[in-house]
């Protein structure tokens, strides 16, 4: 991937439990398994980073100081293929019960049922020509969800995962892209190496 690359298309969204900032994020190979797919997505995905600043300056506008006070990162995506177990990852109060044989019952609600779980959300954009892009955040869905059953459209659940620190440095977004390996520069002068 370089500055002339054009990024086209959507990708795949994976989700797995987050163990905490004392552990490393799982590898790409560990996350990018079919059992971790949150669902096939519609409408792509977006990552948004918003900093907040405080500016202190004198009345005459001659001296000023600006500091970063807050950061917010959000991963948004529409999930087109989903089931009751997907809802468990989208709602901290969801409880899934599959003990009734051929029924899956999902109960949602009750603040006392909130698990406080965090997830690794991992979006992969595959590009055989320019290289792959991966965006990883840790967080949970804070936007709730709407399930709309319409006669002329698929039901897509819009999820909005607010990022939380994924390591001790406070990293909110991990952006990874494939680049061409750098080749060593050849020297212009004569070879003076001694055998």
């Amino acid at each position: 991937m370089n500055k002339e690359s054009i990024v086209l298309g959507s990708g795949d969204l994976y989700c797995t439990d987050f163990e905490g900032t004392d552990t490393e994020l799982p590898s790409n190979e560990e996350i990018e398994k079919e059992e971790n797919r949150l669902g096939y997505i519609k409408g792509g995905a977006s990552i948004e980073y918003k900093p907040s600043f405080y500016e202190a300056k004198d009345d005459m506008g001659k001296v000023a100081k600006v500091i970063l006070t807050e950061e917010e990162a959000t991963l948004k995506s529409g999930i087109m293929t989903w089931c009751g177990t997907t809802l468990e990852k989208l709602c901290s109060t969801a409880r899934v019960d599959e003990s009734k044989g051929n029924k899956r019952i999902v109960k949602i609600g009750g603040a006392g049922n909130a698990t406080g779980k965090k997830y690794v959300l991992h979006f992969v954009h595959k590009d055989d020509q320019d290289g792959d892009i991966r965006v990883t955040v840790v967080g949970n869905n804070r936007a709730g969800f709407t399930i709309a059953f319409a006669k002329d459209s698929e039901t897509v659940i819009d999820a909005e995962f607010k990022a939380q620190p994924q390591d001790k440095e406070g990293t909110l977004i991990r952006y990874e892209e494939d680049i061409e390996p750098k080749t060593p520069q050849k020297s212009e002068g004569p070879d003076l190496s001694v055998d």
Side-chain angles (χ1 to χ4, degrees):
M1 177 113 351
N2 59 46
K3 288 189 253 183
E4 289 79 35
S5 298
I6 298 172
V7 179
L8 289 174
S10 185
D12 298 305
L13 184 59
Y14 300 92
C15 179
T16 187
D17 290 355
F18 179 64
E19 301 300 326
T21 55
D22 291 334
T23 60
E24 287 189 32
L25 289 177
S27 68
N28 293 340
E29 294 75 25
E30 290 175 282
I31 298 174
E32 296 169 22
K33 295 179 179 175
E34 193 57 35
E35 63 262 24
N36 294 332
R37 182 184 300 278
L38 188 57
Y40 286 94
I41 62 177
K42 177 158 183 150
S46 66
I47 186 80
E48 179 180 15
Y49 172 79
K50 291 194 302 190
S52 296
F53 296 93
Y54 174 76
E55 181 177 8
K57 63 180 175 180
D58 74 298
D59 292 343
M60 305 304 287
K62 293 183 179 182
V63 293
K65 183 174 185 176
V66 177
I67 59 168
L68 176 68
T69 58
E70 206 172 294
E71 298 174 293
E72 186 176 299
T74 308
L75 174 71
K76 299 178 185 178
S77 184
I79 303 163
M80 188 175 80
T81 60
W82 55 274
C83 66
T85 58
T86 311
L87 298 176
E88 189 174 33
K89 292 181 172 111
L90 298 179
C91 178
S92 67
T93 64
R95 288 105 49 218
V96 176
D97 180 2
E98 296 180 345
S99 65
K100 306 285 190 258
N102 63 346
K103 301 266 188 227
R104 176 183 294 129
I105 298 170
V106 182
K107 293 182 178 179
I108 297 169
N113 295 310
T115 63
K117 286 180 86 170
K118 297 179 196 172
Y119 298 97
V120 176
L121 287 305
H122 184 76
F123 177 77
V124 182
H125 168 78
K126 295 279 189 181
D127 187 329
D128 293 335
Q129 184 176 347
D130 290 322
D132 299 342
I133 296 173
R134 289 172 170 82
V135 177
T136 307
V137 301
V138 167
N140 46 27
N141 181 32
R142 299 245 188 119
F145 57 85
T146 300
I147 301 174
F149 298 96
K151 70 175 184 172
D152 59 351
S153 179
E154 57 277 353
T155 300
V156 176
I157 299 175
D158 291 322
E160 192 173 300
F161 294 92
K162 186 163 183 180
Q164 298 172 32
Q166 56 186 258
D167 57 27
K168 292 186 178 192
E169 295 176 340
T171 304
L172 296 178
I173 302 169
R174 182 169 179 244
Y175 175 86
E176 176 185 321
E177 64 184 9
D178 291 346
I179 58 174
E180 293 191 23
K182 295 182 180 184
T183 55
Q185 300 284 336
K186 290 187 177 184
S187 65
E188 298 290 324
D191 183 8
L192 301 176
S193 60
V194 179
D195 291 328

